[in-house]
Amino acid sequence: MSSSKQQEILAPILPRVIGQRDIDIREDTDFVTRAILLSWSLIDISGQSSEKLSDRATMSSSNIRDKDEALKDWVSRLPDDILVNIISRLTLKEAARTSVLSSRWKYLWTYASNLNFDASKLLVNVYEETLEEERLRYMCWVNKVLESHKGLSVNEFIIVFDLDDSHESNISHWVYTAISKRAQKFELNLFPALCWPPASGIYEFSQGCYDYLKSPCGLSSVKSLRFLYFDTVNVTEEILEFFINNCPNLDDLRVGRSDNLLRLKVVGSLLQLKCLHIDHCNNLEELEISCPSLLSFKYFGPEIKLHVKNVPQLVDVLIGGGHGIGKGKVIGPIVNYFPQLKTLELHVELNEEILQFPECDLPELRHLMFMVSALDCSSLLGLTCMMKSCPLLQKLTFKIPKHSHQCLKVLEFVGFSGDPVELELAYYMFENATMLEEMIVEPSEYEPEAQAARKSAKKLEKMLPPGVKLVFH
């Protein structure tokens, strides 16, 4: 194959292989050789230091030309696993393109260790009349790659596309394949691009797949699993608890939009799970967690019975979605018993009934985030009880959807100190209180804060909407 043809094939994929963007391929007489040499800067083999490999990888173009024959002979002796490592850094479509470089490369891509079939970007421009055609094309692509793939194990097996229960046979086949290839990361994300729920129903994790999991072969294969993510896949507590209790290396479990999930136990002193995310499982009633290794817990959904204990390392929590969140029925078991939290994000709706949060003590909290939707409540001061519980708070984030306050004419800050959160709230009111006439600022009585308040008031004055008067006491 000519050098120009090699350049044409590898030009789009070289940056992914070598992690660099400043390569001028027109300077290289043997582009394939250079691609492999540069890849060595990322791989430490044969006992050689990364520094030496990097030096070799950055040989000048003139040196490569002078030693062209020697390098070709050296490249031909590279072991297959090194070349497969290089190919596995590419997308599947890019990896397949390398098969035409030479007979040496023809089948190497079929041993790629990353089977990433994420085609979600294609769904942006898909319409209802073309969706089924795109589904057929996607399934054909996945099946064709799997028919050619010869690797006995993979690092990742990722399916991301709009599919439903009508495609059960193909999806179940992929589940079998991911398990049999001992995938370390398995993601099955079938979230629909056009409508919810899917017209033909949500794909249900089949009894056949579950029976295979429980077989000696299946039990042996899932030992390698580290990351498991089901989205828009109906799974029961029995199936999830099988993974939890039979995958000793599982450290990240995420489940979204599973209607069959009614309750779940994540319990075990030997579990290695570090991250647990439950998202929009709308029929979930009860969740029990006792996991000493857990670092991150995120729950978004309806009000549930939440039992949490023995999570000494839990530092990152997100809670949101249900009307019981603000009342503390879900957040209470978290904030009241786990003072070691460092990051807490709350998605809440504020109204008169649920204005106050439960009293708590969060001495280690560094970052507190609120995603606030204020329905029948004209004040955000109900959030201050949470702030008072965090003496070491370093960052406070408000994410507030725009909401018009058409009747609000006077905005008053009492005890104003000029903190960023106060300025943020003021800017929010400027944008949403369209009839605002006057802003009254009464500074803090504490002199250092009063000085800062005066400086901040000047900033506010510059940001005032036309016709709004600032009164500074």
Side-chain angles (χ1 to χ4, degrees):
M1 182 181 294
S2 67
S3 176
S4 61
K5 184 62 176 177
Q6 293 170 349
Q7 293 178 18
E8 180 183 345
I9 293 171
L10 284 178
I13 64 179
L14 179 59
R16 289 181 181 269
V17 179
I18 61 175
Q20 299 183 31
R21 298 278 176 182
D22 56 353
I23 303 301
D24 187 353
I25 63 173
R26 294 170 296 182
E27 295 181 1
D28 303 322
T29 56
D30 191 334
F31 188 65
V32 176
T33 300
R34 183 163 175 78
I36 296 174
L37 284 173
L38 287 166
S39 300
W40 273 56
S41 65
L42 302 177
I43 305 170
D44 187 359
I45 63 168
S46 303
Q48 299 184 63
S49 69
S50 299
E51 190 174 312
K52 290 182 179 179
L53 292 171
S54 180
D55 291 342
R56 181 180 297 193
T58 54
M59 293 174 66
S60 66
S61 297
S62 59
N63 288 339
I64 290 178
R65 295 189 189 96
D66 293 342
K67 300 182 179 181
D68 186 58
E69 292 303 318
L71 287 173
K72 284 182 179 178
D73 182 63
W74 177 75
V75 169
S76 69
R77 294 198 301 270
L78 281 174
D80 285 354
D81 58 342
I82 296 301
L83 297 182
V84 169
N85 189 303
I86 294 170
I87 289 174
S88 294
R89 300 174 186 274
L90 311 175
T91 68
L92 284 171
K93 291 182 179 179
E94 292 169 342
R97 293 178 66 189
T98 65
S99 64
V100 300
L101 291 174
S102 69
S103 58
R104 179 75 173 84
W105 289 73
K106 188 172 183 179
Y107 298 107
L108 286 173
W109 76 273
T110 65
Y111 293 90
S113 60
N114 295 328
L115 298 179
N116 188 333
F117 299 100
D118 184 350
S120 54
K121 291 182 179 179
L122 297 177
L123 296 172
V124 176
N125 298 317
V126 169
Y127 300 94
E128 188 173 356
E129 56 270 21
T130 62
L131 178 58
E132 198 56 39
E133 180 182 346
E134 292 297 332
R135 285 170 165 174
L136 291 173
R137 184 178 290 113
Y138 177 84
M139 291 185 291
C140 181
W141 170 50
V142 175
N143 290 331
K144 187 174 181 180
V145 171
L146 295 183
E147 287 172 7
S148 301
H149 192 264
K150 297 180 174 62
L152 298 178
S153 63
V154 295
N155 293 330
E156 62 180 30
F157 193 109
I158 298 175
I159 298 289
V160 183
F161 206 71
D162 179 342
L163 299 170
D164 57 33
D165 199 41
S166 65
H167 312 104
E168 187 272 340
S169 59
N170 280 289
I171 300 171
S172 294
H173 169 63
W174 302 339
V175 174
Y176 279 114
T177 305
I179 296 170
S180 63
K181 288 186 179 290
R182 304 172 183 272
Q184 296 182 38
K185 177 179 181 179
F186 180 36
E187 177 177 347
L188 184 59
N189 186 340
L190 310 179
F191 186 70
L194 299 179
C195 65
W196 178 266
S200 297
I202 298 175
Y203 167 77
E204 186 167 333
F205 198 94
S206 71
Q207 184 63 41
C209 289
Y210 185 41
D211 291 339
Y212 175 67
L213 280 174
K214 294 185 292 183
S215 69
C217 183
L219 282 168
S220 174
S221 297
V222 296
K223 300 294 184 185
S224 303
L225 194 64
R226 299 181 62 90
F227 177 100
L228 180 62
Y229 180 22
F230 289 128
D231 195 323
T232 320
V233 176
N234 273 333
V235 287
T236 63
E237 61 177 301
E238 184 180 8
I239 292 171
L240 288 179
E241 289 175 14
F242 171 87
F243 283 108
I244 292 170
N245 297 319
N246 291 278
C247 302
N249 297 311
L250 186 65
D251 59 24
D252 198 327
L253 174 63
R254 308 183 184 203
V255 185
R257 283 163 279 269
S258 174
D259 290 341
N260 287 5
L261 189 62
L262 304 181
R263 54 189 56 83
L264 181 64
K265 288 185 177 182
V266 183
V267 177
S269 59
L270 299 179
L271 297 183
Q272 298 301 311
L273 198 66
K274 294 180 175 60
C275 298
L276 175 64
H277 296 179
I278 308 293
D279 183 22
H280 285 96
C281 294
N282 293 327
N283 294 324
L284 187 65
E285 299 173 355
E286 189 170 3
L287 176 61
E288 181 179 349
I289 303 173
S290 178
C291 180
S293 60
L294 194 66
L295 300 174
S296 174
F297 170 60
K298 299 186 179 181
Y299 174 80
F300 197 97
E303 180 182 341
I304 60 172
K305 295 178 182 177
L306 179 62
H307 313 282
V308 186
K309 61 181 180 180
N310 192 25
V311 286
Q313 299 188 66
L314 183 64
V315 294
D316 177 27
V317 169
L318 179 151
I319 300 287
H323 67 274
I325 300 299
K327 294 178 182 178
K329 292 183 180 179
V330 175
I331 188 177
I334 295 291
V335 299
N336 285 332
Y337 301 110
F338 306 106
Q340 75 272 16
L341 292 182
K342 294 186 177 180
T343 300
L344 177 61
E345 181 170 355
L346 303 176
H347 293 228
V348 296
E349 291 183 356
L350 292 181
N351 56 44
E352 292 180 358
E353 179 187 1
I354 60 174
L355 185 61
Q356 296 298 328
F357 285 90
E359 293 185 4
C360 57
D361 186 17
L362 298 170
E364 299 297 323
L365 199 72
R366 301 299 197 271
H367 189 185
L368 176 61
M369 290 170 278
F370 289 108
M371 171 67 80
V372 179
S373 176
L375 298 178
D376 301 321
C377 176
S378 60
S379 172
L380 299 178
L381 295 179
L383 306 178
T384 58
C385 63
M386 285 291 295
M387 302 176 206
K388 293 175 183 176
S389 306
C390 315
L392 296 182
L393 192 65
Q394 297 177 358
K395 184 176 182 181
L396 179 62
T397 303
F398 281 94
K399 302 176 183 178
I400 307 175
K402 288 188 179 249
H403 180 75
S404 178
H405 299 277
Q406 297 181 357
C407 298
L408 187 66
K409 295 185 177 181
V410 178
L411 175 63
E412 184 175 14
F413 278 88
V414 178
F416 183 77
S417 62
D419 290 340
V421 62
E422 295 172 325
L423 295 176
E424 187 172 358
L425 283 171
Y427 297 152
Y428 166 77
M429 299 308 299
F430 292 164
E431 292 181 2
N432 294 278
T434 55
M435 301 301 292
L436 189 66
E437 298 176 355
E438 185 177 49
M439 179 177 177
I440 302 172
V441 176
E442 182 177 323
S444 168
E445 295 180 358
Y446 184 55
E447 183 56 31
E449 290 184 352
Q451 293 177 2
R454 294 186 187 95
K455 294 181 180 179
S456 296
K458 293 182 180 179
K459 295 180 182 180
L460 284 176
E461 191 170 18
K462 295 178 181 178
M463 300 295 295
L464 286 174
V468 178
K469 179 183 177 181
L470 176 66
V471 178
F472 189 85
H473 291 301

